[in-house]
Amino acid sequence: MKRVPKILVALLALALPACGLKPLYAGGANGPVASSLGQVEIAAIEGRAGWLMANALRDRLGEGGTGPRYRLDVRLDDSITGLGIRRDDAVTRERRSVRARYQLVDLADGSVVLDATAGSDAGIDVVQSEYATIAAENTALERLSLIVADEIVARLALYARANPR
């Protein structure tokens, strides 16, 4: 196996800042993106999926000390579709889909500054035990809520970086 000369490693390390990459959360919890995310309040979201989503969003956005500057309105579409069907018309596989349409509203003037969607799917095996199937559906909903919340927060962070105040 060949060894990379140290001078080559040093040159690559010097060239890295010139590539244009910038950390999204520069400055940590006191950085501009994190403080902007802390100023987002989550509007009530309907249903169990909405409760899970709102908690996941609150966990990821954190708390801002100055009070809310934005409101995040989220509308969820949670559906379960049967996929695999046996000869006796029994479903053997399901797909749970969670889709979110969200709007970031500036509380100062009520304007919508960001309007986007996020979503994810999970496959569920339908077994003979109804309890096990319901437990799998609930676990899928919990996992999908976390995934969609991550997508939403990533998009909000990009918006905060592009529009600092």
Side-chain angles (χ1 to χ4, degrees), residues 3-163:
R3 297 194 77 201
V4 179
K6 291 182 182 180
I7 188 74
L8 182 59
V9 172
L11 287 174
L12 288 173
L14 290 174
L16 188 60
C19 71
L21 293 177
K22 297 176 185 170
L24 185 60
Y25 293 102
N30 298 324
V33 171
S35 37
S36 287
L37 291 178
Q39 296 175 345
V40 176
E41 74 175 1
I42 312 298
I45 308 171
E46 287 186 30
R48 182 171 188 272
W51 180 79
L52 289 167
M53 179 68 63
N55 284 339
L57 287 167
R58 282 187 197 96
D59 289 345
R60 284 153 178 74
L61 292 175
E63 292 287 327
T66 61
R69 201 166 99 209
Y70 298 104
R71 182 185 71 241
L72 183 64
D73 295 327
V74 180
R75 280 179 276 139
L76 289 180
D77 178 26
D78 174 29
S79 64
I80 298 177
T81 307
L83 295 177
I85 300 178
R86 294 190 313 223
R87 286 185 208 165
D88 62 352
D89 289 333
V91 174
T92 60
R93 185 100 173 127
E94 295 175 336
R95 178 177 59 215
R96 185 161 208 161
S97 300
V98 174
R99 302 281 181 259
R101 174 149 188 240
Y102 57 97
Q103 295 178 322
L104 187 65
V105 178
D106 190 338
L107 294 176
D109 59 3
S111 64
V112 175
V113 296
L114 178 66
D115 187 353
T117 60
S120 190
D121 301 315
I124 303 165
D125 286 328
V126 177
V127 295
Q128 288 183 345
S129 169
E130 190 173 324
Y131 175 78
T133 302
I134 291 170
E137 291 171 351
N138 289 335
T139 301
L141 177 60
E142 292 168 9
R143 191 173 63 247
L144 291 172
S145 297
L146 297 175
I147 292 168
V148 173
D150 285 338
E151 287 182 36
I152 292 171
V153 170
R155 183 65 179 93
L156 294 177
L158 290 173
Y159 172 80
R161 184 180 67 182
N163 301 290

